[in-house]
Amino acid sequence: MSSGMELSKNYIPGDIEARWYQHWLSKGYFNSTPDERESFTVVIPPPNVTGVLHMGHCLNNTIQDILVRRARMQGKNACWVPGTDHASIATEAKVVAMLRERGIAKSAIGRDEFLQYAWEWKEKYGGIILQQLKKMGCSLDWNRTSFTMDEDYYRSVINVFVDLHKKGWIYRGKRMINWDVKAKTALSDEEVIYKEVQSKLYYVRYEVVDSLELTDDSSTKEKEFITIATVRPETILGDTAICVNPNDDRYQHLHGKYAVVPLIGRRIPIIADDYVTTEFGTGALKVTPAHDMNDYQLGQKYNLEVIETMNDDGTLSEAAQLYIGEDRFEVRKKIVPELEAKGHIVKVEDYTNQIGYSERTDAVVEPRLSLQWWVDMKKISEPALKAVMEGEIEFHPAKFKNLYRHWMENIKDWCISRQLWWGHRIPAWYAPDGTYAVATTREEAFENLRSQIADLRLEDIRQDDDCLDTWFSSWLWPFEVFKGLSNPGNAEVKYYYPTNTLVTAPEIIFFWVARMIMAGEEYMKEIPFKHVYFTGIVRDKQGRKMSKSLGNSPDLLALIDQYGADAVRFGIMISSPAGNDILFDEASLEQGRNFNNKLWNALKLIKSWETRIEKSAQLTAHNSQPSSSFATDWFESRLQQAKVEVETLMQQFRLSEALKVLYSLIWDDFCSWYLEWAKPGFEQPVDPVVYEKTLIYFEEMMQLLHPYMPFITEEIYHLLRGQKEDLCIKQIKSAPLPDITLIDLGLFAQDLQNFIRGVRVQQQIKKSEPVELLTFCSLEQEGSIKRIEALIERQENVRFFYDKGIDTTKTYSFFLKGDMKFCIEKIIGNNDEYKKELEKDLAYQIRFRESVLKKLSNERFVQNAKPEVVALEQKKLADAEARIQNIEESLKNL
């Protein structure tokens, strides 16, 4: 940029962001091919093709981009693979809705035509979220975009199914599953979200009879009843037993008798089993094997009849006998008054219980007996548990290891079939008599079946209608994006796999993280990644999880338009420690925008020096200005110190803390102190050495900040001067060790300046009036003070006096640093007033010191708090001690 070019008042992100992103793409900076460098690979958690960016994506992808950009600047071959997931349930629902708008029913068109529409929908809308990631500045290798239903990928998913079936690890069985009545498909246990709800507990009485047969004498005896408690009275229609605890005295005389199902009149046995607790409800339990997981187990044990009273859409079936075709919740409303009218309701109570909802459709899940395909997880999970527990894969934060271990040690079989058309179709073919064969092709299955059934023809066999659970394809993601299974041992998978870091949310630790580790161990014989960084959940200010239904999820693209991508990235990262939830507040984006403007103003100030550079005596000029020389030396060390801190924090995956270090370095040390110390006096020339060093520092800070805020840093880097390369690929050099003595001296100079400024304000001394600063220190200390003397004299209009004694007839303000003492004569004001002020301040400082001491003497606080939090409290204590000493010294002098 030429010095004549006018910079806007504030930073305007819009055009700048679009321009730089296009530039990086055109240069191919994000593309990766294997070479001799160390690889750094990240695979994106594939968002659903139906997805649009929300705050969770913003957090997750910003973190990935920070890691990838940093690796690129460290000279690694960074490869970040984009892609999307076909999302069976979500996409099928979108396509069905699209067809409904066109007046077409899914059931009327058949599978092949439906899939044509689904692909049409995917081509039109499936890439929206990937385009939106570009607006955020994500440096993905777009040439590598994958989709879980790409041809090779599809084939690999089918091959894995066939392989696991051959090993006996996939089986077909009729078991209780979670049924989503809205999507009309089975779900795995992990896809059910339990919510606490207010329900009613209905106490229903059943008549007790002696036998299964109807006898005439039943009317002469007084009737006996047994009462059960249920929250789902509509399931009474499927009852096939009542169960009591064998040791429950209330019911021992009923063992071997029968109960009559209300409204239906079916006679069912009363059985005794210690599964029933005597405390809950009435101690008697109705058993509905078709509609409850635990009841099903009892049904198996006692060989009870299974009556399926519900259709797949949640309406009642023919087998229910009553309310046929009506919705389950409508039936609940109707059956209660009917039971009441016929004398079966004893009482109704309010009741709080946990109910399972479908993660995808939010419908109440119905337990249902169903013939499905399953993976025997115990066969495949052992290596994946070991990899994490033995530290081959590291979790950040490590607290998630226990959660992972608990789930893996209690793992249940995985229901992998879904009653949907969009997805990977199960490769099983059936002969007319129900015999089936699992194979990669129809022809192969036919050959297999023909060896068992003599006169079978190819057209007689039909393929299973179901699709595979979406997670059954995405568990192959880290290696199949490099064709690790479809083209085994190829050069790319050898180079890029295992990947480095997976960034994901804790809620899919079982759905996805655990299963990817299993698939990696099974098919690549190697873990899929070395680190897993768990982000927190983004919540609103009230702590509620963001969701469309609550309407509390801001429009991310609108925020980017309003604040700029850098400010949004800054805002989400400054408030997001790994694994802890984020309370999202738009104020942090405001802070990001202010930070942008701070950088912009610093740029404008430095550019304004350009025309004032002293060309002649370049080096002597620097020597003649010791104040500038100290400023540059000090800041160089401070920058090196920050570099080392950032490097350490990044290695520990403490990305939020690293950003705070940079923010403080730039805002406080560079803008508030260094630029003040280094800038020339009014109408004074600029020292060329200082100018050159200032440019270097600014460039280095932009380089450190670049992974977090890529656009403004690249823009400023190029506006500072003509650059040979782009910041995006500029290599970070390792920092030499900082000079801590120099850094401390700089902090001391700041404290001393603040003291002088405080005295001026207190005593209303104008900046134009010179002030005498009496200094008492050792010779060695004097040597240090001399390094900052010229700087402070120029900045604060003071004169240092080393040999002047204190005049006991006068009063002074004091500043103590260790055993050094600085005094400024108190020029105006009433001594009594000043004394009162000092005493008030002293009392406050003593109270403050007490509160900090109390905290530090609390063992629980010291043991549980982060080291940096404890260190901060210790610093507060030291500062308070120093202030108390200063005030006491001033009072003593009074």
Side-chain angles (χ1 to χ4, degrees), residues 424-439:
H424 304 82
R425 192 171 179 181
I426 288 175
W429 280 264
Y430 300 85
D433 67 354
T435 314
Y436 68 87
V438 167

Side-chain angles (χ1 to χ4, degrees), residues 335-347:
I335 199 169
V336 173
E338 189 171 342
L339 287 165
E340 209 155 8
K342 297 196 171 150
H344 293 293
I345 299 274
V346 178
K347 60 175 176 174

Side-chain angles (χ1 to χ4, degrees), residues 91-115:
T91 308
E92 186 139 330
K94 293 268 190 195
V95 178
V96 167
M98 174 185 85
L99 291 173
R100 198 180 296 128
E101 279 172 20
R102 300 184 191 178
I104 303 167
K106 173 185 164 183
S107 51
I109 57 175
R111 185 180 200 119
D112 291 342
E113 199 179 331
F114 177 81
L115 287 176

Side-chain angles (χ1 to χ4, degrees), residues 17 55 58-60 62-63 66 136 538-539 546 554 556 559-560 563-577 580-596 655-657 659-660 663 705 707-710 712:
E17 293 182 348
M55 295 315 291
C58 172
L59 172 65
N60 184 294
T62 299
I63 290 167
I66 290 165
M136 276 180 56
V538 185
R539 299 181 180 278
M546 289 187 168
L556 184 58
L559 292 178
I560 291 175
Y563 294 96
D566 286 322
V568 171
R569 289 168 65 124
F570 172 92
I572 197 114
M573 287 312 299
I574 202 81
S575 48
S576 72
N580 291 332
D581 291 355
I582 295 133
L583 295 182
F584 175 75
D585 186 346
E586 218 170 294
S588 63
L589 307 193
E590 194 72 53
Q591 189 187 357
R593 180 162 63 190
N594 293 343
F595 188 35
N596 277 342
L655 274 61
S656 185
E657 285 97 322
L659 177 58
K660 283 172 185 160
Y663 179 70
L705 189 60
Y708 289 90
M709 302 171 78
I712 189 168

